[in-house]
Amino acid sequence: MPFWITAALLTLLACLAVLLPLARRRDGAADGADSDLAVYQDQLAELDRDLARGAIDAAEAGEARAEIGRRILKAAGKADVAGARGNGRAGRIVATLAVLAVPLASWGIYAAIGSPNLPAQPLAARLDRNPAENTVFELVARAERHLAANPEDGRGWEVLAPIYHRIGRFDDAATAWGHAIRLLGSTAAREVALGEAVASAAGGTITPEAKAALERALALEPRNLKARFLMAAALAQEGRGDEAAGAFRAILADLPEASPWRATIAKAISDLEGGPQAGSPGGGSDADAGGLISDKDQAEMIGEMVAGLDRRLRENPGDAAGWQRLVRSYVVLRKPDEAADALARGIDALGAGSEAAAGLREFAAGLGVNAKE
Amino acid sequence: MIVEIGHFSLVLAFALSLVQFAVPLAGTRMGEARLVAVAGPSAVAGFALTALSFAVLTAAYVQSDFSVANVWENSHSAKPLLYKVTGVWGNHEGSMLLWVLILAFFGALVAWFGTNLPASLRANVLVVQGLVGAAFLLFILATSNPFARLDPAPLEGRDLNPILQDIGLALHPPLLYLGYVGFSVCFSFAVAALIEGRIDAAWARWVRPWTLAAWVFLTGGIAMGSYWAYYELGWGGWWFWDPVENASFLPWLSGTALLHSAIVMEKRSALKIWTLLLAILTFSLSLLGTFLVRSGVLTSVHAFATDPARGLFILLILVFFIGGSLSLFALRASTLSQGGLFHPVSREGALVLNNLFLTTAAATVLTGTLYPLLVEAVTGDKISVGAPFFNLTFIPLAVPLLLAVPFGPLLAWKRGDLWAVSQRLHAALGCALLAVALVWFFVDGAGVLAALGIGLAAWLMLGALTDLAVKAGVGKERPAVVWRRLKGLSRSIFGTAAAHFGLGLSVLGIVAVTSLEVERIEVMRPGDTVEIAGYTLRFEGLVPHRGPNFTEEQGRFTYFSGGVRAGEIVSSKRLYTARQMPTTEAGIATRGFSQLYVALGDATANDGVVVRAWWKPQVLLIWIGGLVMMAGGTISLLDRRLRVGAPSRRRARPARSAEAPAE
């Protein structure tokens, strides 16, 4: 039943509770003195019972009887308390006001404080809904439930980890990357992501644990840009400004001219040379890795990486995992149109009826992206 | 949608409570019977709507609907179902809703069963109930709305305070509120009598059972709360003179006084004005308790949230109702007629004595509770008034009262004979003195005070039994006659005896545990043992364990009595994961009425753990005494005389006189 109908019915019932007694004819209020007499009669009866049982003796009973008798006389002598009848018109005005007050007050107040259009959202129902209608947070909760039941699903952890990072749950991101590395094996990208998550969880400080992850990444891929960058930032945080500046310069030397990173790194170098204390890289409270990359820069960085991935897939369209990564990236970047587009291209590239395409479709549905028909 | 229905019906209940207040009041002023008649149906409908609203909130908790802010703040999807339900009132908003629900319930009861009350009295009672309800509904809607929504809804709640995740939460607050709010009916009756300017006989008949019912619930609520604190907080104490405990104890003291003065009023039409004042004071103290607990003035586990707006609002409600009712009392009390006269040594006199002691004790506790708040408000200094103050002031008031208890029920109404009563109590006195001597000589570690205290408890219990024996004519009649007379005694006499006996049991437990308790604090490693009160407690080790929403380290102990394995005790330290909040769960082994109580402390460097162990002799009697008191109150409540209230005018007279000879 829709809310408004139910609310109207409730209001109607409440009004009836006021209206019915008003509509009924009354033959006057109960007489107070009369009910007093009834009580005293009852007390006399109780006295008789006490006497019969031997709880009191005859003399006491006589005395008590006399006292109750005096009260009865007093009550009988009382004036009729119900008193004069009021005139009917004032009564009718009050009655009308009362009946009107119920709907007016309730609907007025409810309109001010209620949220009539907000549906109830029991948790079970929310999680059972079509994934396309789920929000990112609901998707995360679904994924968590799935992983709680299947903790050995490495791919699941790998999907969830960057989303955790994106929504600011850095501790969970670090845990998830840890699981992904344990189950899927160590790669430079995973280790860097782990290091970044650990550092973000520590408020931007590159902790020994984060550093260890970055070192593992560099061992696998010595030229990994992000790992080198974060290691340099770590040096700066340790107060080893000169070494940090040297490391940044080395990165700068390897970067192509057009790279958007150049400005960031140049700034870091100039900050370091300006004074190792003031505005040392990573000293800020920016919760993101190294504290060096602003949200905007980070978005650009990711944008560049995604664009690179997109290019690679055009050249090598048979990479099913790559397509999944691309769809996920667009979801993380909150570009639903591009995500749907990537999904469609991926399905085309993999062959519409193929198993790989079905896998991609399912994966995308888990992220809330559905193929355009 | 369903959540908003609950919200809407709460608003509707507020609108109805305004009608319930204003329309019958106008009706009694104008002499319009039809307006007066609105009181009952609006009270019943208001209750139905409040109940619907409460049911909706409960459903939101059970279904983990985190779009309701209150559910999000106080629940978690992994919480066991029982705590999802009890979590409804384990927080500020929900507990206020429960408060109003019970208020509306009592209003509806008056409407249902009050048909034999004088119509204007019934209407005025419901008017006052309506006004109290309106004030608290407005408070809920304006400052503590449990139906505030979140959009978008979070996916996981913040969980309930782990200390509250206990069966105790299912019982303690509802019982306590039934008690607190039950006194609102007495209050409404008192104010209605003041509005009407007269107290009729039906008044006393009605107030007595309400007082009894509220008292029974409050007794249960306090006893339950005390036991809960005892086993949950892990300090091994059962009463801390904590301001929040005092807040519930105050209405109990004045409610007990009211219970007794209502007897005088009902039987003898005396003490009318005093009873009225006590009814007002008792509910005022209930409101004060609500204010102290809900406003966050006191920081404790009970103050779910601190919000100045709420505190101010409740303070205004408090000032309005207490100030208003006392002003009305000052204006109108002189117009009420005083009742019967009595001799100082009489049942009435004894009950007056009882009232003097109880109200003085209440005043003492009130002073001790409010003084630190006043000092802090005036000078900014934080002081605490602890157990020493209360022990020094409360106990000297309680002991003479307890000594006098057995005399009361044996004294005759109007004019009593103290000497005759003393003779009847000879046997009880003798046995009590014997108990003192036995305890003093034969119980290890018992000092003079412990022996005297146990003697006092024996005196109370034997006095209660003496009352029954005397009334049944033991020693004067043949056993068959005694049996017949005992069966014929009214239930209220049994109720009195049971309640006084229960009081004695509680005193016995309190004295025993206070003076004979043994405590050991040891650093223990697995395999270590500690001797306590004839038991050997062996620490087996710490075992990790996982609960539905917590992880814990269980300390496992085995205890031996005389070298024989007597049982196992598990005491644990828990971590509730959602709030990252640690708690300790005491391990308790019950031996008869005594308990072996083990709490885990911090782990030490070398694999050991600090273990606190207590031997609590007869500790369970404290709460069993409370249960017996409740049973006494209930038996008394079932007395035909009280159950009927005022006799129904519809019933034929001959039917009633036919009942009488049957007894």
Side-chain angles (χ1 to χ4, degrees), chain A residues 1 36 46 67 110 119 137, chain B residues 1 4 149 155 268 641:
Chain A
M1 209 175 352
D36 271 7
E46 190 187 323
E67 191 180 314
Y110 182 76
F137 296 95
Chain B
M1 192 275 283
E4 291 301 316
R149 302 294 297 276
L155 270 155
R268 296 273 299 120
R641 171 171 66 90

Side-chain angles (χ1 to χ4, degrees), chain B residues 366-411:
Chain B
L366 185 66
T367 311
T369 311
L370 292 186
Y371 183 67
L373 295 177
L374 291 179
V375 168
E376 199 185 332
V378 175
T379 67
D381 296 335
K382 271 198 182 290
I383 63 162
S384 71
V385 172
F389 168 82
F390 293 105
N391 290 344
L392 267 178
T393 53
F394 184 77
I395 292 175
L397 283 169
V399 169
L401 175 63
L402 294 179
L403 282 174
V405 163
F407 288 94
L410 286 169
L411 280 167

Side-chain angles (χ1 to χ4, degrees), chain B residues 40 122 143 153 234 244 346 363 366 393 418 450 495 524 546 558 582 639 659:
Chain B
R122 170 167 167 253
T143 71
V244 171
S346 61
L366 185 66
T393 53
L418 198 57
M524 295 178 85
R546 216 185 150 73
T558 314
D639 198 319
E659 262 172 39

Side-chain angles (χ1 to χ4, degrees), chain B residues 9 41 118 306 326 347 424 434 439 455 461 485 511:
Chain B
S9 54
T306 44
L326 288 179
R347 183 86 68 87
R424 288 166 173 177
L434 188 66
V439 170
M461 291 187 277
R485 283 180 61 167
V511 171

Side-chain angles (χ1 to χ4, degrees), chain A residues 218-301:
Chain A
L218 286 173
L220 291 164
E221 191 186 318
R223 307 205 60 78
N224 185 297
L225 185 64
K226 202 167 181 185
R228 287 168 69 196
F229 180 86
L230 291 172
M231 287 302 277
L235 289 171
Q237 281 176 0
E238 288 162 17
R240 292 151 69 180
D242 294 340
E243 289 171 62
F248 278 129
R249 275 195 207 90
I251 301 172
L252 205 54
D254 289 351
L255 279 178
E257 277 305 317
S259 169
W261 281 68
R262 293 192 77 94
T264 311
I265 292 170
K267 183 170 182 299
I269 295 169
S270 73
D271 283 350
L272 281 168
E273 284 168 349
Q277 295 309 313
S280 71
S285 60
D286 190 330
D288 233 314
L292 256 175
I293 315 168
S294 71
D295 260 356
K296 193 163 151 278
D297 291 343
Q298 170 131 359
E300 276 175 23
M301 199 172 91

Side-chain angles (χ1 to χ4, degrees), chain B residues 143-213:
Chain B
T143 71
S144 328
N145 196 332
F147 292 104
R149 302 294 297 276
L150 290 173
D151 186 30
L155 270 155
E156 200 42 274
R158 290 183 180 170
D159 207 1
L160 180 67
N161 184 341
I163 292 177
L164 301 178
Q165 294 192 27
D166 187 272
I167 182 75
L169 184 64
L171 297 171
H172 168 63
L175 279 175
L176 204 60
Y177 282 10
L178 280 167
Y180 273 178
V181 181
F183 285 120
S184 77
V185 179
C186 309
F187 172 82
S188 298
F189 267 92
V191 175
L194 289 170
I195 293 174
E196 297 214 319
R198 67 196 197 102
I199 303 181
D200 39 33
W203 193 92
R205 289 229 144 177
W206 263 79
V207 166
R208 172 105 190 281
W210 280 108
T211 313
L212 253 178

